[in-house]
Amino acid sequence: MRVVIALGGNALLRRGERPDAAPQLQHVTHAADHLSKIAAEHELLIVHGNGPQVGLLALESAADRSLSRPYPLGDLVAETQGLIGYWLQQAIGRSLDGPVVTLVTQTIVEVDDPAFAAPTKFVGSVYDEPEMEALSAQHDWTFAKDGDGWRRVVASPRPQRVVEVDTADALLHHGATVVLAGGGGVPVVLASHGLEGVEAVIDKDLVASLLARQLAADLFLVLTDVPAVMAEFGTPQQRPIGKITPAELAQLQFPAGSMGPKIDAVREFVLATGHRASIGSLDDLAAVFTGTAGTQVLGGL
């Protein structure tokens, strides 16, 4: 069976945790125990998020007075691909008898995507209001509410094609576990001289769904920091959703910058393939994989 797993950046660095390497390595090690078991029996492709990590690098770059200008977001996405991919390679490789490969990945977007004018993708840490106002004034960044705090939001154009998809397919066929399109891939556009990076962060769940369809995956999992999708989220009536169809999901409303893309990602996969997709917690990975935890999105119109 071919499995695509989208591993959320917030699942690797939980709310309230310091953005140190140690807690992230702890979460990666915990995930790797289950990922390696899946990889030992199935073809596995992992797409990881990088929202907290790329936000931290952007903040450091903006504060570095030795630079004439901060590094572009796309460059920082490439950095996080290497860092988180390296962590996953080491952790999974400790208990897997087979190669684990990370590909620095480019994802093509359209230069006129309306998302460039309406940023919604959360990156970086959660700030209180005084911190948010100070950073906004200092760096001319855009912020939006995220729970009880504020986070920076950036453009998130829709992915059109992953440049390295055929390479990943070949590696999967030859028994490698592949870490691909970390952070959604480095966003690029087609220019007259070739591919050119743009200032954005692509949603990794939408890219993972695109890859799951292009690579003919049998199962698609989205792992995050919550145990399931919540109906009536943020109200006293909120409740976890167990099993649901794409049509039923389409009737519900979800935040554009967080759960919304996850819902779109699993719906598109299930509608296109008829196979199961799931959203659940990284801590429950084994049960989400078997379909006994998380939200299970099942085939049917």
Side-chain angles (χ1 to χ4, degrees):
M1 183 165 68
R2 179 168 285 191
V3 182
V4 172
I5 294 181
L7 186 63
N10 289 328
L12 301 179
L13 185 65
R14 309 296 171 84
R15 292 175 185 273
E17 289 183 327
R18 295 180 66 88
D20 296 330
Q24 298 181 73
L25 284 169
Q26 183 178 356
H27 296 312
V28 167
T29 300
H30 172 70
D33 292 338
H34 299 296
L35 291 170
S36 60
K37 292 174 183 176
I38 295 172
E41 298 183 6
H42 307 282
E43 293 181 348
L44 176 59
L45 183 137
I46 302 167
V47 180
H48 64 78
N50 69 343
Q53 297 82 7
V54 79
L56 174 65
L57 291 180
L59 188 63
E60 292 175 346
S61 180
D64 191 335
R65 296 183 179 179
S66 69
L67 299 175
S68 59
R69 61 183 296 273
Y71 277 75
L73 275 175
D75 293 16
L76 302 181
V77 170
E79 286 192 43
T80 61
Q81 286 185 6
L83 173 64
I84 299 173
Y86 158 68
W87 287 343
L88 287 166
Q89 284 180 234
Q90 283 210 327
I92 296 171
R94 292 188 186 105
S95 53
L96 180 67
D97 185 20
V100 186
V101 178
T102 297
L103 292 179
V104 176
T105 310
Q106 302 170 94
T107 301
I108 296 175
V109 300
E110 294 180 346
V111 68
D112 58 352
D113 191 302
F116 286 110
T120 60
K121 181 66 176 173
F122 288 120
V123 298
S125 302
V126 178
Y127 301 101
D128 60 28
E129 191 159 350
E131 290 173 323
M132 177 274 293
E133 290 177 345
L135 287 169
S136 180
Q138 184 177 1
H139 300 298
D140 193 28
W141 290 346
T142 301
F143 288 82
K145 284 287 284 185
D146 186 17
D148 295 330
W150 296 82
R151 290 181 72 190
R152 184 186 175 191
V153 288
V154 299
S156 184
R158 192 167 184 83
Q160 302 299 317
R161 181 168 63 87
V162 175
V163 176
E164 292 78 14
V165 64
D166 291 337
T167 303
D169 188 38
L171 288 167
L172 289 168
H173 277 301
H174 283 83
T177 295
V178 181
V179 182
L180 188 73
V186 179
V188 296
V189 296
L190 294 170
S192 58
H193 54 277
L195 297 174
E196 182 177 284
V198 291
E199 191 76 356
V201 172
I202 304 171
D203 187 87
K204 68 96 179 42
D205 297 309
L206 294 179
V207 172
S209 177
L210 177 64
L211 287 166
R213 284 173 275 140
Q214 291 181 332
L215 293 170
D218 303 289
L219 176 64
F220 176 40
L221 306 182
V222 176
L223 302 176
T224 183
D225 58 351
V226 297
V229 178
M230 295 290 177
E232 301 186 64
F233 177 74
T235 72
Q237 292 77 36
Q238 78 172 23
R239 63 191 185 280
I241 297 172
K243 295 181 179 179
I244 195 168
T245 66
E248 292 167 335
L249 266 181
Q251 302 304 311
L252 305 177
Q253 298 293 319
F254 299 96
S258 53
M259 187 57 73
K262 295 174 174 55
I263 298 300
D264 291 342
V266 296
R267 283 190 68 250
E268 290 171 3
F269 173 77
V270 175
L271 287 171
T273 67
H275 298 313
R276 175 170 65 95
S278 306
I279 300 176
S281 171
L282 173 61
D283 294 334
D284 301 328
L285 171 55
V288 175
F289 177 76
T290 59
T292 56
T295 297
Q296 307 298 321
V297 185
L298 306 175
L301 300 178

